[in-house]
Amino acid sequence: MQLKTAVSARSASPWSSIRSLWFPAIIILFAASPAFSDDIAKGSSGWQQRCAGIRTSYNPQTELRSDLLTLETNDPRWPAFLAWVQAQQLATSTLIGLRTSPSTDAGKGIVFRWAPGTPWEQEVVIPFGQALAHLLVEREWRDLDFPQFFTSRGGMYGINLAERLFLLDPHSLTPWQQFFQAITAPSSPSAPLRSGRLSAVAPDGQSISMTFGANRVVPYSAARLSLDLRSILSDCSVYSFFQLYDQQHGAPPVASQQSPAPAASSPKAQSAVAVTPGRTVYDRHCSGCHGVNGDGKGLLATSLRPPPRDFTQGLFRYRSTPTGQLPTDEDLLRTVTAGLPGSLMPAWEPFLNEAERQAVVAYLKQFSPRFAPATPRDVLPLPSPPAATAEGVAQGEKLYRDSGCGSCHGDTGKGDGRSGKDLKTAEGNPIVPRDLTNKWSFHGGHTPQDVFQRLSTGMDGSPMASYRDVFSPTDLWNLIFYILSLSPPERPQLTSPSPAG
Ligand code: HEC
Ligand code: HEC
């Protein structure tokens, strides 16, 4: 797991001068903002009353939509809109907690309160997958950020939050509930980490910075911010912006006979695939990282290196089948259920029931034509390991040296071998060999059998090949015992560099 770390220097960018350019506009906007009474303003019916009958250059002939924000990021009004959003403190949010009560997946998720203290204040339930992508990828939440919580629960390993909570109980949401209870308590030192705000906007409105907690500055694209804004705003609830924009840009253009306001083009509308239960789960929980089209280019994972798997390639690493063959449904289900430790692929058992996990597996297979013919798969044998002996480990060390593992993984297994520097995946993304001295970071698990499976199947799409035809099973076991001997007997604990949480 490697993340491009957001640089805080970004906040002191030349954009600050741009913001001052907008200053006069902001003053006018503040002055002109209508005084709202809370009861009218909150809820869409309140807004509907307010925007009824209002016509601007954006909606010359129709009512403003109260169900949707249709303003596109390439609209000429967009940069001014963001300046207005920033001035009204609309893009300010606080994480409130978990909602688990409804029996259907649709109402469950992580709750954020947006625009607190403004007429636009609203609680939004974000689907678990999207919220995880936000917390893990964009905010980079790790156990080290929350020492109070984890020190009393077995300590910290320097891993992402979802993986650490999964280790507390892989089958339920209880650790998540306890975690959110702890960090939302008024006395919690982690309280500041829960909030975020729009902190800088480039003049073209396309590059944006969000700041989370005290100083974690995260670059956003316009498309990314627009996703958040669409969850809290409608054309109707921002009618005062459209009015002010016209005031500042003179009379509305005459030629705007076209309207109604353009409908938001959603990627879903463009795709011909039918809406199935699997697709619903995928769009809600997986698309933020893997992309709505399965190409690994999710809007919330643009900074993730290597990126989430591109399903359109049909190449999977964690299989029970020989090199070149597709994974079985059970292989995919296992990955989805337990996640891939050491990566940002979360475990879904706490969040999705078995039927939902099966449905999403069926759906993700549709992204690659490789799955189309129902080709039979061979499942490679997975024997029980023999007892490890000192001679076996010594033999394994010799095999490690003789067979070139060290050229990539390094002589001591740290993952720093000379040929390991410029490796690429089949999709062309850089990848580094695993650190073999930390078996807890093996994505496919670290029991002897897990490692046996990786070495015999190979990891398709990655430079890590199959060694099934290279070694006898006995040699393979010895090699594995040697590799596992490189890790300390107990998982090393870390202490927080800065006790922020
Ligand atoms: C927070 C981002 C994130 C989310 C959300 C996410 N994934 Fe992943 N996923 C990843 C990453 C990163 C990888 C690649 C990890 C690796 O190479 O070890 C991955 C890999 C995978 C793989 C490939 C396994 C293999 O054998 O190669 C599958 C299958 C998968 N994810 C399914 C899902 C499904 C289904 C969902 C939604 C229920 C989902 N993912 C949600 C980040 C995510
Ligand atoms: C060409 C470079 C290269 C060589 C040679 C190589 N590896 Fe790897 N290995 C990798 C890379 C890259 C990964 C990470 C793959 C990924 O995440 O997709 C990896 C991953 C692994 C993993 C982790 C599997 C998991 O579940 O995360 C183990 C164990 C491993 N290699 C052992 C070996 C052994 C033993 C040898 C020699 C027999 C070897 N490797 C040779 C590049 C190499």
Side-chain angles (χ1 to χ4, degrees), residues 285-286 289-290 308-309 311 316-318 343-345 348 443:
H285 300 291
C286 319
C289 283
H290 290 283
R309 192 75 70 248
F311 297 134
F316 291 86
R317 318 272 198 270
Y318 303 96
S343 88
L344 285 187
M345 167 65 190
W348 292 94
H443 299 193

Side-chain angles (χ1 to χ4, degrees), residues 473-493:
T474 309
D475 282 351
L476 215 42
W477 286 120
N478 288 337
L479 184 60
I480 289 162
F481 290 134
Y482 169 68
I483 290 173
L484 294 177
S485 78
L486 298 174
S487 294
E490 296 292 328
R491 186 167 195 167
Q493 297 223 2

